[in-house]
Amino acid sequence: MKTTTFLKKQILISAMLLISSFSFAQVTVSTLAGSTQGYADGTGTAAQFNFPTGVAADASGNVYVADYLNNRIRKITPAGVVTTLAGSTLGNTDGTGAAAHFNNPTGIAVDASGTVYVADTYNHKIRKITPQGEVTTLAGSTQGYADGTGTLAQFYNPIGVAVDASGNLYVADYANHKIRKVTSSGVVTTLAGSTAGYTDGTGTATKFNYPAGVAVDTSGNVYVADTFNHKIRKITSAGVVTTVAGSTQGYADGTGTAAQFKSPYGVAVDASGNVYVADYGNNRIRKITVTGVVTTVAGSTAGYADGSDALAQFSNPYDVTIDALGNIYVADTSNHKIRKIEGIILSTSSDSFVKTLKAYPNPSTGIFVIQTDGNAAVDVFDPAGKQILSQKINGQNSTIDLSQYPAGIYLAKVTTDKKQSKTVKLIKR
């Protein structure tokens, strides 16, 4: 990853976060792109969307958008330049660029190579788009429910899609009330879920109620926005489902079931395991720590306003994604805009007992010294979220060598022997 103007602008911000990682960070909301309802490529507010529902960020800071009623997949550069990657009028056709057709695409994900995956909701398919805009069908055919390979598989209004570091996809199969897994070769299986309802457990013994959003962490755990149960659920790689947070419909910050959501649709997870939620009915973006503590990141009543945390307004935020710098992007659906939230600290903050954590020199050409309280483990993740290094810290200092890796922003997660952790950004020039 080459050092870009975008990255350079972030260096000062990143350094400040490293020095004051326990201090309060001012969260600010701005508009990355979009204006009135419509369709137009362009820069910033010169661009138009028509009920954007899905967002995904790649390792270079580009944001991909499922532009629902425009039946297109759009791309936004870090500078806010919007172009159309694929799609045109409503339909069901593979092809390249505008020759391809979608039918109300809702969810979107992007892998480390820049390949984009789309939940093509009313075509009941999972589509794949190369960086050159070539669209193919990975899995799915007619409306229904069937595991299988490629077009032998069936979905029923798939909405959310997420991709892990191995290229496996996870799909929120909305009207089937299931979470499906799709391998890179198109083999579809059911990870969890059965009929509509609410039950924790394992595999098909569990129940969801129109799950809409999915996100996957570096350990292979899948987080689900269980929309009409008003809960956030977690599925291990073995298919064990638990409830992370949420109870009855409403709005309340708190821990676990003391918290309330109102029709959450989108979820994202950062390298430290914090989960971010597009709380659609509450017009807010929420955060859940690894211990289940729910707080409000930004938003208040329905409307449109940029600004700091509670001064900002959204109108039915549908999806969220988080980039390697900790910026959150929101599909602000009824405002027809893509919003950006800055000032989020990636560490586990007050949930962590890592009192001292420094990385220097930072930025560096490749060699970093990690300083912490004592014995710990450090895991380093690349800009795409893939773990590239793991080693022990014996004592207070440990050297991390990223010389063989390209310039970019990496995350070092330091975990004590008591399993408390904190994350720091490493900026390689």
Side-chain angles (χ1 to χ4, degrees):
M1 175 179 173
K2 294 182 179 179
T3 304
T4 62
T5 301
F6 170 72
L7 186 148
K8 291 176 182 177
K9 289 180 179 178
Q10 299 299 322
I11 288 177
L12 180 58
I13 297 172
S14 301
M16 292 171 64
L17 289 177
L18 293 176
I19 294 169
S20 57
S21 56
F22 283 104
S23 64
F24 174 78
Q26 180 69 56
V27 173
T28 58
V29 179
S30 59
T31 299
L32 178 64
S35 53
T36 55
Q37 179 180 358
Y39 169 65
D41 285 337
T43 301
T45 56
Q48 290 179 303
F49 300 92
N50 196 352
F51 289 97
T53 51
V55 283
D58 70 14
S60 299
N62 300 300
V63 177
Y64 298 85
V65 181
D67 195 0
Y68 183 78
L69 284 186
N70 277 325
N71 297 294
R72 291 171 169 88
I73 304 305
R74 316 286 289 279
K75 178 181 178 180
I76 312 174
T77 69
V81 179
V82 180
T83 55
T84 299
L85 178 64
S88 53
T89 55
L90 184 149
N92 180 15
T93 309
D94 287 339
T96 300
H101 295 85
F102 300 92
N103 189 349
N104 300 138
T106 306
I108 194 165
V110 59
D111 67 17
S113 67
T115 300
V116 175
Y117 301 90
V118 179
D120 192 5
T121 302
Y122 288 100
N123 279 327
H124 313 288
K125 294 179 170 72
I126 304 302
R127 314 286 290 280
K128 178 179 178 179
I129 312 175
T130 68
Q132 294 74 39
E134 182 183 355
V135 180
T136 55
T137 298
L138 179 64
S141 53
T142 56
Q143 172 185 313
Y145 168 64
D147 286 337
T149 301
T151 56
L152 295 178
Q154 289 179 302
F155 301 92
Y156 189 178
N157 298 146
I159 288 185
V161 61
V163 60
D164 68 17
S166 300
N168 298 302
L169 298 180
Y170 299 89
V171 179
D173 195 2
Y174 184 75
N176 274 325
H177 312 286
K178 295 174 174 68
I179 306 303
R180 316 286 290 279
K181 180 179 179 179
V182 187
T183 68
S184 58
S185 57
V187 178
V188 180
T189 54
T190 299
L191 179 64
S194 53
T195 55
Y198 169 64
T199 308
D200 284 338
T202 302
T204 56
T206 64
K207 292 183 180 182
F208 300 91
N209 194 1
Y210 293 98
V214 284
V216 58
D217 69 15
T218 54
S219 299
N221 299 302
V222 177
Y223 296 87
V224 181
D226 192 4
T227 302
F228 290 110
N229 277 326
H230 312 286
K231 294 174 174 69
I232 306 303
R233 317 280 292 279
K234 177 182 177 180
I235 312 174
T236 68
S237 56
V240 178
V241 179
T242 54
T243 298
V244 175
S247 52
T248 54
Q249 175 181 317
Y251 169 64
D253 286 336
T255 301
T257 55
Q260 290 179 304
F261 301 91
K262 185 178 181 181
S263 303
Y265 270 92
V267 285
V269 59
D270 68 21
S272 295
N274 300 301
V275 177
Y276 299 87
V277 181
D279 195 1
Y280 180 90
N282 281 320
N283 299 292
R284 291 171 169 89
I285 305 304
R286 316 286 290 280
K287 177 181 177 180
I288 311 173
T289 69
V290 292
T291 55
V293 178
V294 179
T295 54
T296 298
V297 173
S300 53
T301 55
Y304 169 63
D306 286 335
S308 61
D309 27 77
L311 296 178
Q313 289 180 302
F314 302 92
S315 184
N316 301 135
Y318 203 98
D319 195 18
V320 288
T321 190
I322 186 165
D323 69 13
L325 295 168
N327 300 307
I328 294 174
Y329 300 90
V330 180
D332 192 5
T333 302
S334 295
N335 277 325
H336 312 287
K337 294 175 175 67
I338 305 302
R339 313 288 290 281
K340 181 178 181 179
I341 304 176
E342 299 174 272
I344 298 295
I345 296 177
L346 290 179
S347 74
T348 50
S349 192
S350 59
D351 298 325
S352 172
F353 290 93
V354 181
K355 297 177 181 178
T356 301
L357 179 57
K358 296 180 181 179
Y360 61 88
N362 200 9
S364 164
T365 56
I367 304 297
F368 299 85
V369 175
I370 301 292
Q371 184 181 72
T372 188
D373 303 321
N375 295 341
V378 59
D379 299 302
V380 179
F381 301 87
D382 70 11
K386 180 180 179 180
Q387 184 173 334
I388 60 172
L389 185 150
S390 181
Q391 67 185 59
K392 297 291 186 181
I393 298 176
N394 296 315
Q396 292 187 330
N397 298 309
S398 183
T399 299
I400 301 297
D401 187 355
L402 300 183
S403 300
Q404 64 178 303
Y405 297 101
I409 294 186
Y410 297 80
L411 299 178
K413 182 179 180 182
V414 176
T415 305
T416 69
D417 53 7
K418 295 182 180 180
K419 304 303 181 183
Q420 285 111 14
S421 63
K422 192 172 182 65
T423 302
V424 65
K425 298 175 187 177
L426 304 178
I427 303 170
K428 183 177 184 287
R429 291 184 294 207

